[in-house]
Amino acid sequence: MNDELAQNKKYILVIEDDKFYGNIFQTKFTQAGYDVFVATNGEQGLQAAIQREPTVILLDLIMPLKDGFETLQELKANINLKNIPIIVLSNLGQENDIKKAKELGAVDYAIKANISLQEVVDKVSQYLK
Amino acid sequence: MRIRTKLEIGTLIVFVAALIIGLVLFFTSSRVNRATEEGKITLDIVQKASELGTLTFNHFNNLNERTELEWHSKNTMLAKMLASEFTGEQSQVIIRNLRQNQKELEPLFLKLNKIIKEENTTNHTSLSVNDPSQILVNNNLQLKLQNILNEAFKLTALSQSDISATERTASAFIFISIAVLGLFVTIGSFLVRKSIVEPIAQLDDGTKKVGQGNLHFQINISAEDEIGELAKAFNTMTLKLNGFYENLEDKVRQRSEEILEKNILFQSLVDNIPIGVALMKAPKGEILIMNQAGVKLLGRSLDLEDITKDQYTQKYTFQKEDGTSYPNQELPPSITLEQGEIVTKDDIVVCKPDESKISLRTTSAPVKNAQGRLASVVTIFEDITARKEIEKMKNQFLSFAAHQLRTPLGSIHWNLEMLLKGEMGKLLAPVEERLDQINQCNQRMIGFVNELLEVSLIQQGKWVDQALLTDIVPIIQDAVKGVELDTKSQNISITIIPTRFTIPKIIVDPKRFREVILNLLSNAIKYNRLNGKVTIEFKLLDKKLQIMVTDTGMGIPLNDQSKIFSEFFRAKNAILAETEGTGVGLFMIKSYIERWGGKIFLESEEGKYTTYYLEFQLP
């Protein structure tokens, strides 16, 4: 990866195990002119974040190896990464899930099936300015 | 003989007796009087005789004319006295002697008087003892006087003894009369006692005995009077009573047997039905009786002593499904004991003594006494552990499935969104139209899955509610605006009826309350008629706010009304009219409202209207 380019371009880290969502995020945000990396589990996502600090992170909750809540906790525990805005995008929609995610430091929470892609883009854009 | 006749005869006898005694006493007293009278006369005679003697002596000493006149007058009086009628034979003999003497007295006195007067003319002396003729006359006169006096004394003595005798006779008569009267009275009272008092006492005794329950008792009175008749009537009555009583006893015995038989049947029914039945005593809730199934369900042996001793809440441990203890006052029997209403709950877990747990569906109903007061509470409870287990699995599956379904649906949604926006290149019009159709179907599917998820969450109680004191007026106004578009096609008007009072704030979750109103309005529009109306009204009840949402639509069939708030249920006419709809809206509404401590119920007539009543406690 070109370091210079990487530093200039806004970088979105997507941590999402569902390949169809991953594909959509990849397509949409690349098209919008951002750097995108899709990690398929929490562990991979953490490593990726450590390797290159993203501008914003999109995080799924139900994932193999390390789930979203654990990942969120670890990201927030990392002194270098704790200020990166994290938006939780999940299909879990219970109030206590939302509450837990926000308590752990997520800036936003959305249920994928109940939100349009445009709304996701709008949410992400807020943190890319 | 009649008592009246007896009394009349008795009175007559006493009257006659009294009359006879009266007459006897009267005659006795007149005899005493006469004897006394005779006695007086004899005394007078004695006095007069002695006076005559004195006068004679005086006269012959003085030859006084006045004494001579006095002597004649006294002698005349004596003659008159001697003329009195004396009753006794002896008295009459004496009187005859006295008269004889008195008759001879007069000539003797005159003779002596003449002799003395003749002598006086010669000697001028008074009485002389020397003249032999004079002495003879004088002696005779003296003798006669003496005789009279003696006879008078004799008469007096006789009279005295006569008086005494008469008095004695009178006393004897009086004594006998009193004795006779006493005898009569004794006989009379004896007869009264025999013929009236004793039968009455017998009657009294009889009534007491019958009163004490001895219906075989018969009074033994054979008299032909009123008491006899009364006794006969009494005996007849007792016989009849006895007959009735024996008949009654038979009937009671028969009924008791029937009741016992029914009781046995009932007992076997109660004991053999596979649900627990218990009766608790108001107001505290001691268990009066529990059937075998109940004992088995609750895991206690059929030791009534043990069961009934305490209130049921002290006897058993009840929990909620999440393992926390169930507040006693929220258990159905407690609510019924408190409010007298029928209560059903199926979220109670009972912990048996062996520490196993079962879920119960419990219904309590009030049992009222004749005065309408709560006497006891009947509670039935059945084991729904298996059902609860299945429900739990269903809910887990539902939330799992919903989550798993949402994932592909969401990605389909986003892919379609990109395509439809032309981000992948411009689309041909027919292609765009097909893709739009797919998108709409996908959205419906997402909506349906969301509802499924919501229902399962509600059923598992896994939903968080943010109820707070809320001004519902703007929420309702906003909801009305929100459905404005939907009213257009059928030209339906929605009216919020103004109130005279300020609508108070209530405790609800504002977001969900909006959903409640939206859902009700959506139904009211969807199932309304052309040019139909929807009204929203408010009413203040006792410490409650009531909201009424009424439409002029197809209504809900009576048979479906009780099920309308169940999940996935839709009324028959609604399914025919509108194929879309999942039947979870009203279930969710009810769950929300009940979570806020409110109540929802409806009133509807098919083809005319439906009114939903929402009631909220005022804070």
Side-chain angles (χ1 to χ4, degrees):
Chain A
M1 198 175 277
N2 188 323
D3 279 355
E4 203 183 327
L5 188 70
Q7 274 165 4
N8 289 340
K9 263 192 167 178
K10 304 279 184 186
Y11 168 45
I12 302 167
L13 174 61
V14 177
I15 309 174
E16 167 68 72
D17 69 323
D18 185 85
K19 62 176 180 179
F20 296 102
Y21 279 114
N23 181 279
I24 292 169
F25 288 132
Q26 185 82 59
T27 311
K28 185 73 186 177
F29 290 122
T30 308
Q31 209 178 42
Y34 303 116
D35 275 348
V36 182
F37 178 71
V38 179
T40 55
N41 64 59
E43 190 53 48
Q44 199 189 359
L46 267 176
Q47 292 311 318
I50 291 164
Q51 217 169 58
R52 183 185 167 192
E53 203 176 302
T55 320
V56 64
I57 299 173
L58 301 185
L59 179 64
D60 188 19
L61 287 178
I62 297 177
M63 286 183 297
L65 295 178
K66 192 169 274 179
D67 76 10
F69 291 118
E70 279 177 89
T71 312
L72 182 57
Q73 245 170 335
E74 285 184 31
L75 283 169
K76 286 296 166 189
N78 187 312
I79 193 139
N80 296 321
L81 307 174
K82 67 174 185 186
N83 291 323
I84 303 170
I86 300 168
I87 299 170
V88 174
L89 287 171
S90 170
N91 272 322
L92 287 182
Q94 289 178 27
E95 270 91 342
N96 50 5
D97 295 328
I98 298 169
K99 203 176 154 215
K100 190 174 169 189
K102 289 202 168 164
E103 274 169 6
L104 289 174
V107 291
D108 210 342
Y109 189 111
I111 296 161
K112 283 180 278 194
N114 298 345
I115 186 174
S116 70
L117 189 57
Q118 188 54 51
E119 283 172 293
V120 177
V121 172
D122 291 346
K123 278 184 191 289
V124 173
S125 303
Q126 286 178 42
Y127 303 100
L128 292 172
K129 279 169 193 167
Chain B
M1 208 190 291
R2 322 282 298 170
I3 291 179
R4 203 174 148 188
T5 323
K6 280 182 192 171
L7 285 173
E8 279 166 3
I9 291 171
T11 315
L12 198 66
I13 290 170
V14 171
F15 176 73
V16 170
L19 195 67
I20 292 166
I21 290 163
L23 284 172
V24 168
L25 286 176
F26 176 74
F27 286 123
T28 314
S29 78
S30 51
R31 271 186 68 189
V32 172
N33 277 345
R34 205 167 57 219
T36 316
E37 205 60 42
E38 283 175 359
K40 270 186 198 162
I41 295 169
T42 53
L43 285 175
D44 279 350
I45 291 168
V46 171
Q47 197 189 346
K48 288 288 173 296
S50 59
E51 277 173 6
L52 277 180
T54 313
L55 281 170
T56 312
F57 181 74
N58 283 341
H59 178 65
F60 290 120
N61 276 340
N62 305 317
L63 275 184
N64 190 332
E65 289 227 353
R66 196 186 56 86
T67 47
E68 189 185 341
L69 282 174
E70 208 173 317
W71 190 94
H72 285 294
S73 135
K74 294 261 157 103
N75 196 33
T76 316
M77 278 166 79
L78 183 63
K80 274 183 192 166
M81 281 171 200
L82 293 177
S84 302
E85 286 294 321
F86 275 77
T87 46
E89 266 178 45
Q90 267 182 302
S91 308
Q92 280 170 2
V93 173
I94 295 170
I95 287 291
R96 265 199 303 277
N97 293 339
L98 275 168
R99 274 184 190 154
Q100 196 57 47
N101 285 326
Q102 198 257 345
K103 270 178 195 163
E104 289 168 14
L105 205 60
E106 186 81 39
L108 283 172
F109 182 77
L110 290 174
K111 203 173 178 180
L112 190 62
N113 203 14
K114 196 178 165 189
I115 296 167
I116 293 170
K117 275 179 180 169
E118 281 168 1
E119 278 183 8
N120 271 357
T121 44
T122 51
N123 302 345
H124 295 286
T125 55
S126 65
L127 204 62
S128 158
V129 283
N130 301 321
D131 184 352
S133 65
Q134 191 191 344
I135 289 170
L136 183 72
V137 175
N138 193 18
N139 280 349
N140 273 344
L141 186 62
Q142 290 300 326
L143 188 68
K144 289 292 167 192
L145 272 170
Q146 194 58 52
N147 279 347
I148 290 173
L149 210 53
N150 285 345
E151 290 291 327
F153 280 131
K154 226 190 266 178
L155 191 64
T156 306
L158 192 67
S159 169
Q160 277 304 316
S161 79
D162 197 25
I163 288 171
S164 316
T166 317
E167 273 173 357
R168 270 199 307 277
T169 317
S171 303
F173 265 120
I174 288 167
F175 176 76
I176 289 166
S177 302
I178 288 168
V180 168
L181 201 63
L183 189 66
F184 268 100
V185 169
T186 309
I187 291 170
S189 69
F190 174 77
L191 288 176
V192 167
R193 193 185 151 78
K194 266 285 163 202
S195 67
I196 299 172
V197 178
E198 275 182 10
I200 286 175
Q202 249 179 298
L203 260 179
D204 181 51
D205 188 42
T207 39
K208 274 180 193 149
K209 278 190 177 143
V210 171
Q212 282 159 4
N214 182 3
L215 294 180
H216 295 281
F217 185 77
Q218 291 281 294
I219 297 173
N220 187 19
I221 297 175
S222 52
E224 293 290 324
D225 56 14
E226 289 92 334
I227 292 173
E229 280 169 19
L230 194 59
K232 264 183 219 156
F234 182 86
N235 285 341
T236 315
M237 182 195 78
T238 313
L239 270 176
K240 277 192 179 169
L241 255 182
N242 193 30
F244 283 135
Y245 184 72
E246 277 173 3
N247 197 12
L248 193 69
E249 269 195 332
D250 278 350
K251 275 189 181 159
V252 167
R253 203 173 301 122
Q254 203 181 327
R255 286 279 182 280
S256 303
E257 277 165 15
E258 281 171 24
I259 288 167
L260 193 69
E261 207 171 300
K262 276 188 185 151
N263 210 11
I264 290 167
L265 279 176
F266 184 73
Q267 188 64 43
S268 73
L269 172 76
V270 169
D271 272 341
N272 290 302
I273 46 173
I275 52 171
V277 181
L279 194 65
M280 285 114 166
K281 193 177 162 194
K284 284 187 175 174
E286 298 96 333
I287 298 171
L288 293 172
I289 191 168
M290 188 187 284
N291 72 343
Q292 283 172 3
V295 172
K296 213 169 154 190
L297 272 179
L298 298 178
R300 294 255 176 187
S301 65
L302 189 61
D303 177 0
L304 274 182
E305 192 67 27
D306 182 41
I307 290 173
T308 54
K309 230 170 5 195
D310 301 309
Q311 294 170 28
Y312 78 100
T313 49
Q314 291 169 351
K315 208 87 220 158
Y316 304 102
T317 313
F318 300 102
Q319 289 183 345
K320 291 200 166 187
E321 282 164 3
D322 60 10
T324 56
S325 73
Y326 212 108
N328 284 342
Q329 70 274 14
E330 287 179 18
L331 290 162
S334 301
I335 297 174
T336 307
L337 283 166
E338 181 71 27
Q339 300 170 4
E341 286 172 8
I342 298 175
V343 183
T344 299
K345 290 205 174 178
D346 52 11
D347 60 348
I348 301 166
V349 175
V350 65
C351 306
K352 292 194 184 187
D354 64 2
E355 293 189 355
S356 62
K357 292 180 180 181
I358 54 165
S359 296
L360 295 178
R361 178 184 167 85
T362 310
T363 300
S364 287
V367 179
K368 291 181 177 169
N369 62 16
Q371 285 78 44
R373 289 217 187 110
L374 185 72
S376 53
V377 168
V378 65
T379 301
I380 59 170
F381 42 97
E382 60 180 311
D383 183 357
I384 53 164
T385 313
R387 202 188 89 192
K388 280 280 165 186
E389 208 57 48
I390 292 167
E391 228 167 64
K392 199 173 156 194
M393 281 164 67
K394 182 195 81 181
N395 286 325
Q396 280 173 347
F397 171 76
L398 264 181
S399 57
F400 171 78
H403 178 257
Q404 292 305 99
L405 284 170
R406 262 181 179 178
T407 304
L409 290 171
S411 69
I412 292 171
H413 173 205
W414 287 355
N415 277 306
L416 285 167
E417 192 184 331
M418 285 196 286
L419 282 172
L420 286 165
K421 275 189 174 170
E423 285 175 16
M424 302 297 131
K426 196 165 164 43
L427 301 174
L428 290 170
V431 176
E432 195 184 329
E433 201 192 325
R434 288 307 102 200
L435 286 175
D436 184 54
Q437 292 285 306
I438 294 170
N439 194 32
Q440 282 188 35
C441 288
N442 195 55
Q443 284 306 319
R444 256 175 69 189
M445 189 86 99
I446 289 170
F448 184 58
V449 169
N450 281 341
E451 282 184 344
L452 269 184
L453 203 60
E454 185 74 8
V455 168
S456 89
L457 288 179
I458 288 171
Q459 284 179 335
Q460 292 173 81
K462 283 186 187 171
W463 54 295
V464 182
D465 189 73
Q466 284 169 336
L468 43 98
L469 198 60
T470 309
D471 181 6
I472 54 165
V473 180
I475 296 176
I476 292 172
Q477 287 166 341
D478 185 57
V480 171
K481 264 184 206 153
V483 294
E484 232 166 39
L485 258 177
D486 304 330
T487 60
K488 294 275 188 284
S489 65
Q490 284 201 289
N491 189 31
I492 287 159
S493 66
I494 303 180
T495 320
I496 301 175
I497 311 272
T499 56
R500 287 188 180 178
F501 54 90
T502 312
I503 294 164
K505 289 184 176 182
I506 52 173
I507 295 171
V508 292
D509 178 329
K511 209 175 111 197
R512 288 212 159 100
F513 184 77
R514 188 173 186 276
E515 279 178 53
V516 168
I517 299 298
L518 271 176
N519 215 310
L520 288 174
L521 289 177
S522 153
N523 278 351
I525 295 163
K526 209 162 31 174
Y527 303 114
N528 217 319
R529 58 175 163 78
L530 194 65
N531 302 323
K533 283 184 183 123
V534 178
T535 52
I536 302 170
E537 282 177 84
F538 301 90
K539 218 188 245 179
L540 272 181
L541 304 174
D542 181 36
K543 290 183 184 169
K544 278 181 191 168
L545 173 70
Q546 194 179 58
I547 306 169
M548 287 159 281
V549 180
T550 307
D551 64 52
T552 53
M554 63 174 71
I556 299 163
L558 202 61
N559 281 343
D560 289 348
Q561 285 183 12
S562 60
K563 291 175 255 170
I564 202 77
F565 292 107
S566 316
E567 66 267 40
F568 308 119
F569 182 85
R570 296 185 69 209
K572 284 188 193 73
N573 54 353
I575 296 168
L576 285 175
E578 176 76 52
T579 45
E580 260 188 63
T582 52
V584 298
L586 287 173
F587 168 75
M588 293 196 308
I589 287 174
K590 188 171 192 267
S591 306
Y592 295 159
I593 291 174
E594 283 176 358
R595 169 71 74 97
W596 303 326
K599 219 160 96 175
I600 181 169
F601 53 96
L602 63 86
E603 208 178 84
S604 180
E605 197 175 325
E606 211 179 341
K608 287 193 175 162
Y609 77 99
T610 301
T611 302
Y612 286 97
Y613 294 87
L614 285 68
E615 282 180 8
F616 297 94
Q617 296 287 338
L618 293 180

